[in-house]
């Protein structure tokens, strides 16, 4: 019953989110214009001086691939309205900054060349476009400015612009694998965006594309709107039990998570998650049937912060050894074990051992069901045995783990092949 075009997405499990724009210059996150109500005139200075001399998307793509990521989603336009791509419908774009070129095209080419699937994030909100309504809007940067109290904009005209830009993005850059609309709120949802028509156009231009769920529909409904999207997009949280629809069936989801506490570059935010945490979060997502879209916020000069590079490289080393327990895997039917988590693929179970405990490792209910067990990192055998003191647990199988401590403290993976 799963949609065929979602197959790659569900197998990929791990992707890179990239938030990049002229807000990298103030370097206080992508909402800075809104949070500080920065006047257009001042924000313009960022546009006039945006010059990413070190932008090397091939290096970003290599980093993503080495980290074990299979796809990427980059901001073609964020809420501030600035376009990294060369749109014929606006002057507010990278080609008119000192960068002087279409930064999206280079991204697409580089990531494709590295064998990664390519996606666009596109903001439905627009804090630059004169037709976007300010009066009555709960979010707009200038909502409290007296001179904007009567600014009703022209929503139909803005939506026309928005549709045109989506059409450009899905026409001018070859095959695009993901479109990530962001976001809907209050009355600004569904048909306010002409969402049915928008999605029909998206599907016509890019038949196999995967669409997120932020156009304002209800993806959990028994009969979701056509624009409800292909996957749920929990943000900065991992759903406790995965995501199910109103009929109780699991549905595709992708958690988007930052590496520090900001999406866009934030020069002073050093609250980095450790590679160990990233690995465990990824495993948690997969064990609950979801994907992880992990964010980086490159600098105005075009570089992914060194800390991110280091974290992702470390994650990549773990993925090199243990990727088989991630790609194409989903949740197992068994309950979460005390020592860690399960992921599963066909007749293979992956025991993600996060806590060594003592003695043999208990595999509940699996007695007689396992053909063999191996340490996934190097395919070395882990013996199954029935210890003398396990007589009271006849339904359980036991791994005789050879060491008192785990060889991989982040997550030691044992592959169990079922009979
Ligand atoms: C949000 C934010 C945002 C970020 C994003 C990522 O709702 O508005 O800045 O791009 O979602 O999920």
């Amino acid at each position: 019953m799963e949609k065929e075009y979602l197959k790659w997405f569900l197998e990929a499990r791990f992707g890179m989110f990239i938030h990049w724009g002229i807000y990298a210059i103030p370097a206080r996150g992508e909402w800075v214009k809104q949070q500080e109500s920065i006047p257009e005139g001042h924000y313009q200075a960022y546009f006039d001086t945006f010059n990413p001399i070190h932008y090397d998307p091939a290096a970003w793509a290599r980093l993503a691939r080495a980290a074990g990521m299979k796809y990427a989603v980059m901001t073609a336009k964020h809420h501030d309205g600035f376009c990294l791509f060369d749109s014929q419908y606006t002057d507010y774009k990278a080609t008119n900054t000192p960068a002087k070129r279409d930064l999206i095209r280079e991204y697409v080419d580089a990531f494709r060349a590295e064998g990664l699937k390519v996606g666009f994030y596109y903001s439905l909100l627009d804090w630059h476009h004169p037709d976007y309504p300010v009066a009555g809007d709960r979010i707009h940067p200038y909502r409290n400015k007296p001179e904007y109290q009567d600014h009703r904009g022209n929503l139909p005209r803005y939506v026309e612009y928005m549709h045109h830009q989506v059409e450009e993005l899905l026409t001018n850059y070859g095959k695009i694998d993901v479109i990530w609309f962001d976001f809907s709120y209050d009355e600004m949802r569904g048909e306010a965006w002409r969402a049915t028509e928008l999605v029909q156009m998206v599907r016509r231009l890019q038949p196999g594309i995967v669409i997120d769920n932020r156009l304002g529909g209800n993806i959990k409904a028994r009969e979701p709107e056509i624009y409800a999207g292909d996957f749920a997009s929990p943000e900065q949280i991992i759903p406790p039990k995965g995501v199910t629809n109103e009929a109780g069936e699991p549905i595709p989801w992708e958690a988007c998570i930052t590496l520090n506490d900001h999406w866009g570059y934030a020069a002073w935010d050093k609250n980095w998650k450790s590679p160990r945490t990233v690995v465990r979060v990824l495993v948690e997502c997969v064990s609950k049937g979801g994907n992880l879209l992990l964010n980086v916020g490159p600098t105005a000069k075009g570089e992914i912060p060194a800390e991110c590079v280091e974290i992702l490289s470390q994650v990549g080393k773990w993925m090199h050894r243990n990727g088989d327990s991630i790609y194409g895997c989903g949740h197992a039917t068994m309950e979460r074990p005390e020592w860690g988590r399960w992921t599963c693929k066909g007749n293979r179970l992956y025991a993600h051992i996060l806590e060594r405990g003592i003695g043999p490792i208990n595999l509940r209910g699996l007695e007689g069901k396992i053909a063999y067990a191996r340490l996934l990192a190097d395919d070395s055998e882990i013996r199954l045995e029935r210890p003398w003191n396990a007589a009271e647990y006849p339904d359980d199988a036991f791994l005789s783990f050879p060491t008192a401590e785990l060889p991989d403290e982040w997550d030691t993976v044992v592959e169990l092949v079922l009979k």
Side-chain angles (χ1 to χ4, degrees), residues 17 19 30-31 78-79 121 180 182-183 214 235 256 263:
F17 213 176
H19 276 70
E30 77 291 350
W31 274 67
H78 207 275
H79 306 334
Y121 168 108
W180 220 100
D182 190 39
F183 59 81
R214 296 191 177 183
E235 180 171 332
C256 50
W263 300 99

Side-chain angles (χ1 to χ4, degrees), residues 3-24:
K3 301 167 191 152
E4 182 60 28
Y5 65 85
L6 279 183
K7 200 163 169 276
W8 75 263
F9 181 76
L10 297 174
E11 286 177 4
R13 290 304 183 209
F14 192 24
M16 176 181 272
F17 213 176
I18 306 171
H19 276 70
W20 196 37
I22 56 177
Y23 45 74

Side-chain angles (χ1 to χ4, degrees), residues 47 75-78 81-97 100-105 120 122-123 126 128-129 158-173:
F47 180 91
T75 50
K77 181 192 91 169
H78 207 275
F82 174 71
C83 298
L84 284 173
F85 66 108
D86 188 8
S87 167
Q88 67 169 105
Y89 298 99
T90 185
D91 295 328
Y92 204 54
K93 56 184 177 182
T95 43
N96 292 333
T97 67
K100 285 203 185 77
R101 54 200 212 276
D102 186 331
L103 302 168
I104 284 289
R105 181 164 313 280
F120 294 145
Y122 183 85
S123 173
D126 196 312
H128 176 79
H129 200 288
Y158 168 71
V159 171
E160 190 67 27
Y161 167 81
M162 186 262 276
H163 280 226
H164 279 313
Q165 287 207 319
V166 172
E167 182 175 24
E168 285 182 310
L169 283 168
L170 300 186
T171 305
N172 297 343
Y173 300 90

Side-chain angles (χ1 to χ4, degrees), residues 191-332:
E191 296 311 340
W193 306 123
R194 279 164 49 207
T196 299
E197 207 185 312
L198 183 65
V199 164
Q200 282 166 344
M201 175 180 74
V202 168
R203 298 259 184 240
R204 175 168 52 75
L205 296 172
Q206 297 280 346
I209 202 167
V210 178
I211 309 178
D212 77 332
N213 70 329
R214 296 191 177 183
L215 280 167
N218 178 9
I219 193 173
K220 296 183 179 178
R222 278 168 200 266
E223 284 180 29
E225 304 85 344
I226 130 159
Y227 56 82
D230 294 314
F231 64 90
S233 57
E235 180 171 332
Q236 304 287 39
I237 191 167
I238 311 298
K241 299 258 175 205
V243 183
T244 49
N245 62 16
E246 286 165 7
E249 302 150 348
I251 59 170
W253 59 274
E254 174 198 71
C256 50
I257 307 285
T258 50
L259 266 176
N260 53 3
D261 294 323
H262 290 83
W263 300 99
Y265 181 61
W268 311 108
D269 178 358
K270 301 291 179 193
N271 198 20
W272 302 107
K273 294 167 183 76
S274 66
R276 172 186 190 266
T277 294
V278 171
V279 162
R280 289 182 171 208
V281 167
L282 174 60
V283 169
E284 180 178 354
C285 288
V286 177
S287 77
K288 295 172 176 179
N291 285 17
L292 174 63
L293 187 65
L294 187 65
N295 183 73
V296 296
T299 67
K301 284 200 164 165
E303 287 178 303
I304 293 177
E307 294 93 335
C308 298
V309 173
E310 177 57 25
I311 297 163
L312 292 180
S313 310
Q314 296 291 332
V315 170
K317 288 182 189 157
W318 185 91
M319 286 294 279
H320 176 76
R321 296 190 296 269
N322 298 299
D324 282 345
S325 68
I326 299 293
Y327 306 124
C329 293
H331 56 99

